[in-house]
Amino acid sequence: MIDIDKWSEIYATVKKHKLRTGLTAFGVFWGIFMLVLLLGAGKGLENGVMKDFNVAKNAIFVWTQRTSVPYMGMQPGRYIYLTNEDTEAIRNQIPEVGIISPSSQLWGTFTVSRLDKNSSFTVNGEYPELPYVEPLTIAKGRFLNKLDIEEKRKICIIGPRAQEVLFKKDEDPLGKYINIKGSHFQVVGIFQPVGKGEDIVQSAQTIYIPHSTLQQTFNQQNRVGHYKLIPAPGVASVVVEDKVKALLAQRHQVAPNDLKAFGSANVEKEFEEVQGLFAGIAGFSWLVSIGTIIAGVIGVGNIMLIVVKERTKEIGIRKALGATPWSVISLILQESVVITALAGYLGLLAGTGLIALIDYLMVKFNAEGAMFSNPEVDPKVGFMAVALLVVMGAIAGLIPATKAARVNPVVALKDE
Protein backbone atom coordinates (compact mmCIF):
# COMPACT_ATOMS: atom_id res chain seq x y z
CA MET A 1 0.00 0.00 0.00
CA ILE A 2 2.98 2.36 0.40
CA ASP A 3 4.58 1.55 -2.97
CA ILE A 4 4.77 4.94 -4.72
CA ASP A 5 5.15 3.35 -8.16
CA LYS A 6 1.89 1.44 -7.75
CA TRP A 7 0.03 4.59 -6.72
CA SER A 8 1.46 6.42 -9.71
CA GLU A 9 0.27 3.66 -12.05
CA ILE A 10 -3.20 3.65 -10.51
CA TYR A 11 -3.41 7.43 -10.88
CA ALA A 12 -2.30 7.25 -14.50
CA THR A 13 -4.84 4.53 -15.30
CA VAL A 14 -7.72 6.41 -13.66
CA LYS A 15 -6.71 9.67 -15.32
CA LYS A 16 -6.54 8.00 -18.73
CA HIS A 17 -10.10 6.65 -18.40
CA LYS A 18 -11.80 9.31 -16.27
CA LEU A 19 -15.33 8.90 -17.65
CA ARG A 20 -15.28 5.11 -17.51
CA THR A 21 -13.90 5.08 -13.96
CA GLY A 22 -16.30 7.80 -12.82
CA LEU A 23 -19.40 6.04 -14.14
CA THR A 24 -18.27 2.75 -12.60
CA ALA A 25 -17.55 4.35 -9.22
CA PHE A 26 -20.91 6.13 -9.26
CA GLY A 27 -22.73 2.82 -8.71
CA VAL A 28 -20.81 2.27 -5.47
CA PHE A 29 -21.23 5.93 -4.48
CA TRP A 30 -24.99 5.80 -5.03
CA GLY A 31 -25.39 2.59 -3.04
CA ILE A 32 -23.67 3.99 0.06
CA PHE A 33 -25.41 7.34 -0.37
CA MET A 34 -28.84 5.68 -0.48
CA LEU A 35 -27.98 3.44 2.48
CA VAL A 36 -27.07 6.42 4.67
CA LEU A 37 -30.02 8.48 3.45
CA LEU A 38 -32.58 5.71 3.94
CA LEU A 39 -31.27 4.76 7.39
CA GLY A 40 -31.14 8.40 8.45
CA ALA A 41 -34.67 9.07 7.22
CA GLY A 42 -35.89 5.89 8.90
CA LYS A 43 -34.31 7.01 12.18
CA GLY A 44 -35.94 10.43 11.82
CA LEU A 45 -39.31 8.77 11.32
CA GLU A 46 -38.66 6.51 14.32
CA ASN A 47 -37.71 9.47 16.51
CA GLY A 48 -40.87 11.30 15.48
CA VAL A 49 -43.10 8.34 16.25
CA MET A 50 -41.33 7.58 19.54
CA LYS A 51 -42.13 11.08 20.74
CA ASP A 52 -45.76 9.95 20.83
CA PHE A 53 -44.77 7.51 23.58
CA ASN A 54 -44.88 10.15 26.30
CA VAL A 55 -45.41 7.41 28.88
CA ALA A 56 -43.15 4.67 30.22
CA LYS A 57 -42.41 2.09 27.52
CA ASN A 58 -43.70 -0.76 29.72
CA ALA A 59 -46.70 0.99 31.27
CA ILE A 60 -50.08 -0.73 31.65
CA PHE A 61 -53.41 1.04 32.09
CA VAL A 62 -56.43 -0.85 33.49
CA TRP A 63 -59.97 0.50 33.83
CA THR A 64 -63.49 -0.86 34.23
CA GLN A 65 -66.38 -1.15 31.78
CA ARG A 66 -69.70 -2.98 31.83
CA THR A 67 -69.99 -6.74 32.13
CA SER A 68 -71.16 -8.63 29.06
CA VAL A 69 -71.66 -12.13 30.51
CA PRO A 70 -74.14 -13.17 33.26
CA TYR A 71 -72.35 -14.65 36.26
CA MET A 72 -73.36 -15.99 39.68
CA GLY A 73 -76.95 -14.84 39.26
CA MET A 74 -76.03 -11.32 38.14
CA GLN A 75 -77.14 -9.95 34.80
CA PRO A 76 -74.82 -8.49 32.13
CA GLY A 77 -74.52 -4.72 31.84
CA ARG A 78 -73.34 -4.29 35.43
CA TYR A 79 -70.73 -1.54 35.88
CA ILE A 80 -67.68 -2.32 37.99
CA TYR A 81 -66.32 0.27 40.44
CA LEU A 82 -62.72 0.05 41.56
CA THR A 83 -61.97 0.73 45.23
CA ASN A 84 -59.05 1.41 47.57
CA GLU A 85 -59.31 -2.22 48.69
CA ASP A 86 -58.58 -3.27 45.10
CA THR A 87 -55.44 -1.17 45.22
CA GLU A 88 -54.23 -2.89 48.38
CA ALA A 89 -55.10 -6.32 46.95
CA ILE A 90 -52.98 -5.65 43.86
CA ARG A 91 -50.08 -4.45 46.02
CA ASN A 92 -50.25 -7.47 48.33
CA GLN A 93 -51.19 -10.30 45.98
CA ILE A 94 -49.35 -9.54 42.75
CA PRO A 95 -45.59 -9.23 43.39
CA GLU A 96 -44.99 -8.79 39.66
CA VAL A 97 -46.35 -5.22 39.97
CA GLY A 98 -43.44 -2.85 40.52
CA ILE A 99 -45.35 0.45 40.63
CA ILE A 100 -49.08 1.08 40.99
CA SER A 101 -50.54 4.55 40.69
CA PRO A 102 -54.33 4.78 41.20
CA SER A 103 -55.89 7.70 39.37
CA SER A 104 -59.27 9.45 39.35
CA GLN A 105 -60.69 12.49 37.65
CA LEU A 106 -63.03 15.10 39.11
CA TRP A 107 -66.52 14.48 37.70
CA GLY A 108 -68.99 16.96 36.33
CA THR A 109 -68.79 20.48 34.92
CA PHE A 110 -67.04 23.07 37.07
CA THR A 111 -64.64 26.00 36.94
CA VAL A 112 -61.38 26.65 38.69
CA SER A 113 -61.04 30.23 39.90
CA ARG A 114 -58.77 32.66 41.67
CA LEU A 115 -59.93 36.17 42.57
CA ASP A 116 -61.71 37.45 39.45
CA LYS A 117 -60.19 34.93 37.05
CA ASN A 118 -61.64 31.55 36.21
CA SER A 119 -61.61 28.84 33.56
CA SER A 120 -62.27 25.15 33.06
CA PHE A 121 -59.49 22.67 33.77
CA THR A 122 -59.05 18.94 34.14
CA VAL A 123 -58.49 17.99 37.78
CA ASN A 124 -56.85 14.61 38.41
CA GLY A 125 -56.35 12.86 41.73
CA GLU A 126 -52.97 11.14 41.59
CA TYR A 127 -50.29 9.39 43.65
CA PRO A 128 -46.60 10.35 43.96
CA GLU A 129 -45.73 7.43 41.64
CA LEU A 130 -47.34 9.14 38.63
CA PRO A 131 -44.07 10.52 37.12
CA TYR A 132 -42.75 6.96 36.81
CA VAL A 133 -45.61 6.20 34.42
CA GLU A 134 -46.28 9.55 32.76
CA PRO A 135 -43.08 11.61 32.81
CA LEU A 136 -43.46 15.31 33.59
CA THR A 137 -41.00 18.05 34.45
CA ILE A 138 -41.40 20.01 37.67
CA ALA A 139 -40.44 23.55 36.64
CA LYS A 140 -40.86 24.98 40.12
CA GLY A 141 -41.78 23.69 43.57
CA ARG A 142 -42.49 19.99 44.01
CA PHE A 143 -44.81 17.14 43.10
CA LEU A 144 -47.03 15.06 45.40
CA ASN A 145 -45.51 13.08 48.24
CA LYS A 146 -46.56 10.35 50.66
CA LEU A 147 -47.67 12.76 53.42
CA ASP A 148 -49.97 14.56 50.97
CA ILE A 149 -51.81 11.26 50.46
CA GLU A 150 -51.85 10.20 54.11
CA GLU A 151 -52.97 13.57 55.46
CA LYS A 152 -55.29 14.34 52.54
CA ARG A 153 -53.73 17.73 52.08
CA LYS A 154 -55.45 20.35 49.94
CA ILE A 155 -52.51 21.11 47.71
CA CYS A 156 -52.17 21.13 43.93
CA ILE A 157 -49.64 21.14 41.12
CA ILE A 158 -50.67 23.27 38.16
CA GLY A 159 -49.64 23.31 34.52
CA PRO A 160 -48.58 26.27 32.35
CA ARG A 161 -52.12 26.96 31.14
CA ALA A 162 -53.51 27.30 34.68
CA GLN A 163 -50.61 29.58 35.59
CA GLU A 164 -51.26 31.74 32.53
CA VAL A 165 -55.00 32.08 33.13
CA LEU A 166 -55.22 32.33 36.92
CA PHE A 167 -52.10 34.37 37.72
CA LYS A 168 -50.51 37.58 36.52
CA LYS A 169 -47.58 37.38 34.13
CA ASP A 170 -44.83 37.99 36.70
CA GLU A 171 -46.67 36.55 39.69
CA ASP A 172 -45.24 33.53 41.53
CA PRO A 173 -48.07 30.99 42.01
CA LEU A 174 -46.28 29.00 44.73
CA GLY A 175 -48.01 29.37 48.08
CA LYS A 176 -51.10 30.98 46.53
CA TYR A 177 -54.57 29.41 46.66
CA ILE A 178 -56.98 28.50 43.87
CA ASN A 179 -60.64 27.54 44.18
CA ILE A 180 -61.59 24.13 42.78
CA LYS A 181 -65.33 23.54 42.86
CA GLY A 182 -65.76 25.50 46.11
CA SER A 183 -62.63 24.22 47.90
CA HIS A 184 -59.35 26.10 48.22
CA PHE A 185 -56.09 24.37 47.26
CA GLN A 186 -52.58 25.71 47.79
CA VAL A 187 -50.24 25.65 44.80
CA VAL A 188 -47.02 23.80 45.73
CA GLY A 189 -45.65 23.04 42.27
CA ILE A 190 -45.68 24.00 38.61
CA PHE A 191 -45.04 21.33 35.97
CA GLN A 192 -44.15 21.39 32.31
CA PRO A 193 -45.83 18.73 30.17
CA VAL A 194 -43.77 16.23 28.20
CA GLY A 195 -44.91 15.36 24.69
CA LYS A 196 -46.05 17.21 21.61
CA GLY A 197 -49.13 18.44 19.79
CA GLU A 198 -52.46 17.67 21.41
CA ASP A 199 -50.77 15.81 24.27
CA ILE A 200 -49.05 19.00 25.43
CA VAL A 201 -52.24 21.06 25.08
CA GLN A 202 -54.28 18.58 27.11
CA SER A 203 -51.59 18.09 29.77
CA ALA A 204 -51.05 21.85 30.13
CA GLN A 205 -54.70 22.23 31.20
CA THR A 206 -54.44 19.60 33.94
CA ILE A 207 -54.25 20.24 37.68
CA TYR A 208 -52.97 17.46 39.96
CA ILE A 209 -54.18 16.98 43.52
CA PRO A 210 -53.67 14.09 46.00
CA HIS A 211 -55.91 11.14 45.15
CA SER A 212 -57.10 10.77 48.76
CA THR A 213 -58.00 14.47 48.86
CA LEU A 214 -60.10 14.19 45.71
CA GLN A 215 -61.95 11.20 47.17
CA GLN A 216 -62.78 12.97 50.44
CA THR A 217 -63.41 16.51 49.20
CA PHE A 218 -65.48 15.77 46.11
CA ASN A 219 -67.64 12.87 47.33
CA GLN A 220 -65.78 10.07 45.58
CA GLN A 221 -65.23 8.07 48.74
CA ASN A 222 -63.46 4.78 48.11
CA ARG A 223 -63.57 5.16 44.32
CA VAL A 224 -60.69 4.67 41.90
CA GLY A 225 -61.00 5.64 38.25
CA HIS A 226 -58.24 3.50 36.77
CA TYR A 227 -54.80 2.07 37.48
CA LYS A 228 -51.46 3.01 36.00
CA LEU A 229 -48.96 0.17 36.46
CA ILE A 230 -45.29 -0.59 35.86
CA PRO A 231 -44.04 -4.21 36.06
CA ALA A 232 -41.27 -5.18 38.44
CA PRO A 233 -37.82 -5.44 36.78
CA GLY A 234 -37.58 -8.45 34.51
CA VAL A 235 -41.35 -9.00 34.33
CA ALA A 236 -43.23 -8.73 31.03
CA SER A 237 -46.04 -6.21 31.06
CA VAL A 238 -48.50 -8.74 29.61
CA VAL A 239 -48.04 -10.88 32.76
CA VAL A 240 -49.00 -7.94 35.00
CA GLU A 241 -51.89 -7.00 32.73
CA ASP A 242 -53.40 -10.49 32.82
CA LYS A 243 -52.89 -11.00 36.57
CA VAL A 244 -54.39 -7.64 37.54
CA LYS A 245 -57.46 -8.17 35.39
CA ALA A 246 -57.89 -11.72 36.73
CA LEU A 247 -57.65 -10.51 40.34
CA LEU A 248 -60.14 -7.70 39.76
CA ALA A 249 -62.53 -10.11 38.03
CA GLN A 250 -62.35 -12.43 41.03
CA ARG A 251 -62.89 -9.62 43.52
CA HIS A 252 -65.87 -8.16 41.65
CA GLN A 253 -67.49 -11.46 40.68
CA VAL A 254 -66.95 -11.12 36.95
CA ALA A 255 -67.03 -14.16 34.69
CA PRO A 256 -63.52 -15.34 33.74
CA ASN A 257 -64.53 -15.33 30.05
CA ASP A 258 -65.97 -11.80 30.17
CA LEU A 259 -63.54 -9.87 27.99
CA LYS A 260 -65.47 -6.60 28.11
CA ALA A 261 -65.71 -6.01 31.85
CA PHE A 262 -62.19 -4.57 32.07
CA GLY A 263 -60.38 -2.45 29.55
CA SER A 264 -56.62 -2.18 29.34
CA ALA A 265 -53.84 -0.63 27.32
CA ASN A 266 -50.40 -2.23 27.15
CA VAL A 267 -47.81 0.30 26.00
CA GLU A 268 -45.08 -2.36 25.83
CA LYS A 269 -47.04 -4.26 23.16
CA GLU A 270 -47.46 -1.11 21.08
CA PHE A 271 -43.80 -0.21 21.57
CA GLU A 272 -42.63 -3.65 20.42
CA GLU A 273 -44.87 -3.46 17.35
CA VAL A 274 -43.42 -0.07 16.43
CA GLN A 275 -39.89 -1.34 17.04
CA GLY A 276 -40.59 -4.29 14.75
CA LEU A 277 -41.88 -1.94 12.06
CA PHE A 278 -38.74 0.18 12.12
CA ALA A 279 -36.51 -2.89 12.20
CA GLY A 280 -38.27 -3.94 8.99
CA ILE A 281 -37.70 -0.49 7.46
CA ALA A 282 -34.00 -0.64 8.36
CA GLY A 283 -33.75 -4.16 6.91
CA PHE A 284 -35.41 -3.03 3.69
CA SER A 285 -33.01 -0.06 3.49
CA TRP A 286 -30.02 -2.38 3.87
CA LEU A 287 -31.43 -4.80 1.27
CA VAL A 288 -32.00 -2.11 -1.35
CA SER A 289 -28.67 -0.38 -0.68
CA ILE A 290 -26.60 -3.57 -0.58
CA GLY A 291 -28.16 -4.62 -3.87
CA THR A 292 -27.14 -1.30 -5.40
CA ILE A 293 -23.64 -1.57 -3.92
CA ILE A 294 -23.21 -5.11 -5.25
CA ALA A 295 -24.27 -3.92 -8.70
CA GLY A 296 -21.65 -1.16 -8.47
CA VAL A 297 -18.96 -3.56 -7.27
CA ILE A 298 -19.75 -5.93 -10.15
CA GLY A 299 -19.29 -2.96 -12.44
CA VAL A 300 -15.88 -2.35 -10.87
CA GLY A 301 -14.99 -6.00 -11.40
CA ASN A 302 -15.99 -5.78 -15.07
CA ILE A 303 -13.90 -2.66 -15.53
CA MET A 304 -10.91 -4.37 -13.94
CA LEU A 305 -11.33 -7.25 -16.40
CA ILE A 306 -11.20 -4.71 -19.22
CA VAL A 307 -8.13 -3.12 -17.63
CA VAL A 308 -6.40 -6.50 -17.49
CA LYS A 309 -7.30 -7.14 -21.14
CA GLU A 310 -5.96 -3.73 -22.20
CA ARG A 311 -2.74 -4.20 -20.23
CA THR A 312 -2.07 -7.82 -21.23
CA LYS A 313 1.13 -6.96 -23.09
CA GLU A 314 2.34 -4.75 -20.24
CA ILE A 315 1.70 -7.54 -17.74
CA GLY A 316 3.56 -9.96 -20.00
CA ILE A 317 6.58 -7.65 -20.07
CA ARG A 318 6.48 -7.33 -16.28
CA LYS A 319 6.48 -11.10 -15.86
CA ALA A 320 9.22 -11.51 -18.47
CA LEU A 321 11.35 -9.09 -16.43
CA GLY A 322 10.84 -11.16 -13.28
CA ALA A 323 7.65 -9.73 -11.68
CA THR A 324 6.11 -12.22 -9.25
CA PRO A 325 2.42 -13.23 -9.54
CA TRP A 326 1.69 -11.51 -6.22
CA SER A 327 3.07 -8.17 -7.47
CA VAL A 328 0.68 -8.36 -10.43
CA ILE A 329 -2.26 -9.42 -8.25
CA SER A 330 -1.60 -6.71 -5.68
CA LEU A 331 -1.55 -4.02 -8.36
CA ILE A 332 -4.99 -4.98 -9.71
CA LEU A 333 -6.43 -5.55 -6.23
CA GLN A 334 -5.17 -2.21 -4.98
CA GLU A 335 -6.71 -0.36 -7.91
CA SER A 336 -10.05 -2.10 -7.35
CA VAL A 337 -10.04 -1.36 -3.61
CA VAL A 338 -9.10 2.28 -4.20
CA ILE A 339 -11.96 2.86 -6.65
CA THR A 340 -14.62 1.22 -4.45
CA ALA A 341 -13.34 2.66 -1.16
CA LEU A 342 -13.02 6.21 -2.51
CA ALA A 343 -16.44 6.11 -4.19
CA GLY A 344 -18.01 4.65 -1.06
CA TYR A 345 -16.35 7.20 1.22
CA LEU A 346 -17.63 10.05 -0.93
CA GLY A 347 -21.10 8.49 -0.82
CA LEU A 348 -20.85 8.24 2.96
CA LEU A 349 -19.84 11.90 3.23
CA ALA A 350 -22.61 13.03 0.87
CA GLY A 351 -25.31 11.01 2.67
CA THR A 352 -24.19 12.12 6.13
CA GLY A 353 -23.94 15.72 4.96
CA LEU A 354 -27.45 15.67 3.52
CA ILE A 355 -28.88 14.17 6.73
CA ALA A 356 -27.09 16.84 8.79
CA LEU A 357 -28.42 19.57 6.46
CA ILE A 358 -32.00 18.30 6.79
CA ASP A 359 -31.66 18.23 10.58
CA TYR A 360 -30.19 21.75 10.62
CA LEU A 361 -32.96 23.17 8.40
CA MET A 362 -35.69 21.52 10.50
CA VAL A 363 -34.28 23.04 13.68
CA LYS A 364 -33.65 26.44 12.09
CA PHE A 365 -37.14 26.79 10.65
CA ASN A 366 -38.82 24.96 13.54
CA ALA A 367 -40.23 22.46 11.05
CA GLU A 368 -40.01 19.29 13.11
CA GLY A 369 -43.17 17.50 12.08
CA ALA A 370 -45.25 15.17 14.20
CA MET A 371 -43.98 12.13 12.31
CA PHE A 372 -40.37 13.15 11.61
CA SER A 373 -37.72 14.43 13.99
CA ASN A 374 -33.94 14.56 14.38
CA PRO A 375 -32.78 12.35 11.47
CA GLU A 376 -29.43 10.75 12.30
CA VAL A 377 -27.09 7.94 11.30
CA ASP A 378 -25.41 5.61 13.76
CA PRO A 379 -21.58 6.00 13.44
CA LYS A 380 -21.33 2.20 13.50
CA VAL A 381 -23.11 2.15 10.15
CA GLY A 382 -20.32 4.25 8.61
CA PHE A 383 -17.61 1.91 9.90
CA MET A 384 -19.56 -1.14 8.72
CA ALA A 385 -20.06 0.40 5.29
CA VAL A 386 -16.38 1.27 4.90
CA ALA A 387 -15.30 -2.21 6.01
CA LEU A 388 -17.83 -3.76 3.65
CA LEU A 389 -16.53 -1.67 0.77
CA VAL A 390 -12.91 -2.69 1.36
CA VAL A 391 -13.88 -6.35 1.39
CA MET A 392 -16.14 -6.07 -1.66
CA GLY A 393 -13.53 -4.02 -3.51
CA ALA A 394 -10.98 -6.77 -2.92
CA ILE A 395 -13.46 -9.41 -4.06
CA ALA A 396 -14.29 -7.37 -7.17
CA GLY A 397 -10.62 -7.24 -8.14
CA LEU A 398 -9.78 -10.83 -7.21
CA ILE A 399 -10.94 -12.52 -10.43
CA PRO A 400 -9.29 -9.94 -12.75
CA ALA A 401 -6.13 -10.03 -10.60
CA THR A 402 -5.99 -13.83 -10.75
CA LYS A 403 -6.45 -13.72 -14.51
CA ALA A 404 -3.63 -11.19 -14.79
CA ALA A 405 -1.33 -13.37 -12.70
CA ARG A 406 -1.89 -16.31 -15.05
CA VAL A 407 -0.88 -14.38 -18.15
CA ASN A 408 1.79 -16.26 -20.14
CA PRO A 409 4.58 -13.77 -20.99
CA VAL A 410 5.17 -15.32 -24.44
CA VAL A 411 1.48 -15.20 -25.37
CA ALA A 412 1.11 -11.70 -23.88
CA LEU A 413 3.98 -10.31 -25.93
CA LYS A 414 2.29 -11.59 -29.11
CA ASP A 415 -1.06 -10.04 -28.08
CA GLU A 416 -2.26 -7.17 -30.26
Side-chain angles (χ1 to χ4, degrees):
M1 293 298 293
I2 61 174
D3 190 330
I4 302 300
D5 291 336
K6 284 185 179 180
W7 285 106
S8 298
E9 290 187 41
I10 291 172
Y11 174 74
T13 303
V14 171
K15 185 178 179 180
K16 183 178 179 180
H17 303 286
K18 293 188 289 290
L19 180 61
R20 184 179 72 185
T21 305
L23 292 176
T24 303
F26 182 76
V28 179
F29 167 89
W30 189 251
I32 293 295
F33 176 78
M34 288 303 298
L35 173 64
V36 174
L37 187 61
L38 288 173
L39 290 178
K43 190 63 177 179
L45 182 62
E46 181 179 356
N47 290 338
V49 172
M50 288 306 171
K51 282 188 176 180
D52 286 336
F53 286 92
N54 57 339
V55 296
K57 302 299 187 294
N58 59 344
I60 308 115
F61 298 84
V62 177
W63 62 90
T64 60
Q65 301 173 150
R66 295 188 180 277
T67 59
S68 61
V69 177
Y71 187 65
M72 298 180 67
M74 291 176 285
Q75 296 299 314
R78 176 170 54 96
Y79 194 86
I80 308 299
Y81 292 97
L82 299 174
T83 66
N84 294 334
E85 288 73 27
D86 292 326
T87 304
E88 292 305 313
I90 293 173
R91 284 197 178 111
N92 298 329
Q93 299 181 37
I94 306 180
E96 291 84 358
V97 174
I99 293 173
I100 178 170
S101 180
S103 176
S104 295
Q105 191 173 97
L106 187 55
W107 302 333
T109 303
F110 59 91
T111 59
V112 177
S113 62
R114 179 176 179 270
L115 302 177
D116 60 340
K117 299 178 180 180
N118 64 80
S119 185
S120 297
F121 295 96
T122 300
V123 177
N124 287 350
E126 302 289 354
Y127 270 67
E129 291 80 7
L130 174 68
Y132 292 102
V133 183
E134 298 179 356
L136 50 85
T137 302
I138 299 299
K140 201 170 185 180
R142 66 175 179 85
F143 193 62
L144 304 173
N145 60 37
K146 186 177 179 181
L147 286 177
D148 295 330
I149 300 294
E150 292 176 351
E151 298 178 4
K152 303 177 182 178
R153 294 173 176 175
K154 288 189 175 181
I155 56 98
C156 65
I157 294 86
I158 63 174
R161 179 59 180 166
Q163 181 181 4
E164 178 186 351
V165 172
L166 302 177
F167 296 89
K168 296 178 182 179
K169 185 175 182 180
D170 299 324
E171 186 177 8
D172 186 1
L174 295 185
K176 306 296 193 307
Y177 286 83
I178 61 175
N179 188 311
I180 302 177
K181 207 173 181 180
S183 296
H184 288 83
F185 286 76
Q186 185 181 33
V187 178
V188 298
I190 303 168
F191 74 91
Q192 288 292 335
V194 175
K196 61 182 182 179
E198 294 182 2
D199 293 333
I200 286 184
V201 174
Q202 184 176 356
S203 183
Q205 299 184 23
T206 301
I207 296 174
Y208 296 117
I209 66 174
H211 189 269
S212 57
T213 307
L214 183 143
Q215 288 180 322
Q216 177 177 274
T217 306
F218 301 108
N219 196 29
Q220 293 189 27
Q221 290 289 349
N222 205 26
R223 287 283 185 266
V224 176
H226 66 276
Y227 290 116
K228 301 169 183 177
L229 307 149
I230 298 290
V235 178
S237 60
V238 66
V239 173
V240 172
E241 180 183 11
D242 293 342
K243 287 197 171 187
V244 168
K245 291 168 73 172
L247 176 61
L248 293 176
Q250 178 185 356
R251 289 180 55 81
H252 292 275
Q253 298 179 325
V254 174
N257 62 338
D258 191 342
L259 302 180
K260 295 184 179 180
F262 298 98
S264 62
N266 190 326
V267 179
E268 186 173 78
K269 284 183 180 178
E270 298 178 12
F271 183 73
E272 289 176 351
E273 290 174 0
V274 172
Q275 288 288 84
L277 171 64
F278 287 112
I281 292 175
F284 177 75
S285 300
W286 275 101
L287 180 64
V288 171
S289 302
I290 292 298
T292 306
I293 293 171
I294 290 175
V297 169
I298 290 174
V300 173
N302 288 333
I303 289 300
M304 298 313 298
L305 284 171
I306 295 174
V307 168
V308 170
K309 178 65 177 175
E310 290 176 344
R311 299 171 65 179
T312 300
K313 183 174 288 188
E314 175 193 329
I315 294 171
I317 295 174
R318 283 172 178 270
K319 297 190 73 174
L321 293 175
T324 63
W326 170 246
S327 67
V328 176
I329 290 175
S330 62
L331 176 65
I332 303 301
L333 279 180
Q334 189 169 329
E335 184 173 342
S336 175
V337 169
V338 166
I339 293 174
T340 53
L342 182 60
Y345 183 67
L346 292 176
L348 185 64
L349 287 180
T352 305
L354 182 57
I355 291 295
L357 177 63
I358 293 172
D359 187 35
Y360 169 76
L361 293 175
M362 290 181 67
V363 173
K364 182 177 180 180
F365 296 104
N366 195 26
E368 292 193 64
M371 298 297 291
F372 195 84
S373 174
N374 188 30
E376 57 187 356
V377 179
D378 190 337
K380 294 179 182 178
V381 173
F383 292 116
M384 289 175 61
V386 171
L388 180 67
L389 282 172
V390 172
V391 172
M392 296 185 75
I395 294 174
L398 188 60
I399 296 176
T402 304
K403 183 177 180 180
R406 292 175 179 172
V407 169
N408 187 313
V410 177
V411 175
L413 291 174
K414 292 181 180 179
D415 185 67
E416 296 294 337

